[in-house]
Amino acid sequence: MIETPYYLIDKAGLLKNLEKIAYVRDRSGAKALLALKCFATWSVFDFMRDYMDGTTSSSLNEVRLGNERFGKETHAYSVAYSDYEIDEVVSHADKIIFNSISQLERFGEKASGIIRGLRLNPQISSSSFDLADPARPFSRLGEWDVSKVEKVMDRISGFMIHNNCENADFSLFDRMLSQIEDTFGSLLKQADWVSLGGGIHFTGEGYPLDLFADRLKAFAETYGVQVYLEPGEAAITNSTTLETTVLDTLYNGKHLAIVDASIEAHMLDLLIYRESAKVQPNQGPHHYMICGKSCLAGDIFGEFDFPDKLKIGDRVSMQDAAGYTMVKKNWFNGVKMPAIALKELDGSVTIAREFSYQDFEQSLS
Ligand SMILES: *Cc1c(COP(=O)(O)O)cnc(C)c1O
């Protein structure tokens, strides 16, 4: 028995996504890079490596992790690099994508030994959250003026365009890609490679994988480019749970159950986007508000239905706890950091990492 709280990564769940990614790669010729900002739990990289082509990153730390722990192709990207990190970034990457022309002008020479590219901002996106919308007004994420980009084409060989966000709608992806072709077609014709970013939820149930792959292939043929995808969430969706135990129950006008984890510390993304956690099957006559154990008043995972009354010691599993969770976990309130456990394909469970008081202490000085 592993003590809660812990994140449980189920390799069988992961495999379902990876097989779809591999299918799209095969059928379309596109390459798939894991976006480390979404998921960087490297103990499963050995398992993921055969199905993907490498990693993409948003910082020096991530590009180094990608290079050292995942290997294969390693793309570097950052909203802005510092003088003191650029050499090390270049040493870990085989491609660097600058966010702006001014960063390209500043660091392009230092990166002339590897492939260089630029982020384009098509000013359209599928995001329903202003906070996460790369095409929001005044966005700093990428260049959009074709005439300005034309002037630096001698220094770059490709582009990254990331404007899908939790987009499970193939026709919306297709329409936006057509708009991108209309806007940037003249630039795309001069490119050797184009990364279409992440945010395309093509590993979800019922996504038309063949239409998607064929669209990517047609795009690649039209412009003569190697296409890349940068799945984060799509690679790990529905693979992981946060396993918690009920520590206390109360009735304060609603039935409350306090668990040994915290939404703020362990599933922060849900709090930021004001979304509820998921508990399955979420059925039965007993309705509870599941609360975290930090002292934040709004540390609440959500309200769910259970088949039986909850008692102290019962297990509550929060679903879909891989993407943007482990990468954002923090030591708020000093709440015990969930361990990371792996469920192998044969069903056996092993602990990959546990966290101690020393880790808490060492996170500050
Ligand atoms: C966030 C991000 C990704 C991954 O997005 P998901 O929604 O997790 O698939 C890929 N590429 C870039 C540039 C990103 O910013």
Side-chain angles (χ1 to χ4, degrees), residues 35 37-38 119 160 162 197-199 230-234 324:
K37 84 158 194 277
C38 171
R119 178 168 184 167
M160 185 266 277
H162 169 76
E230 303 177 350
E233 188 65 47
Y324 302 97

Side-chain angles (χ1 to χ4, degrees), residues 19-21 23-24 27 202-204 206-215:
E19 282 174 341
K20 288 183 183 175
I21 291 172
Y23 180 80
V24 168
R27 186 173 169 116
F202 64 96
T203 56
Y207 196 89
L209 284 184
D210 286 347
L211 289 179
F212 178 52
D214 294 348
R215 181 69 173 93

Side-chain angles (χ1 to χ4, degrees), residues 250-256 287 289 303:
L250 297 82
Y251 181 79
N252 272 346
K254 277 188 179 177
H255 288 284
L256 313 181
H287 190 78
M289 179 184 275
E303 294 191 25

Side-chain angles (χ1 to χ4, degrees), residues 266-284:
H266 308 142
M267 294 191 88
L268 180 60
D269 215 45
L270 295 177
L271 198 61
I272 293 173
Y273 291 97
R274 303 192 174 273
E275 294 184 314
S276 170
K278 285 181 250 166
V279 167
Q280 277 169 353
N282 198 14
Q283 277 168 8

Side-chain angles (χ1 to χ4, degrees), residues 117-118 120 149 153 156-161 187-188 191 193-195:
L118 189 64
L120 296 178
V149 177
M153 285 310 295
I156 58 175
S157 62
F159 300 103
M160 185 266 277
I161 302 165
L187 296 174
L188 300 177
W193 54 272
V194 175
S195 174

Side-chain angles (χ1 to χ4, degrees), residues 36 93 122 146 165 184-185 188 208 224 245 309 354:
L36 295 176
V146 173
C165 275
F184 295 127
L188 300 177
T245 299
K309 271 192 164 170
E354 285 175 293

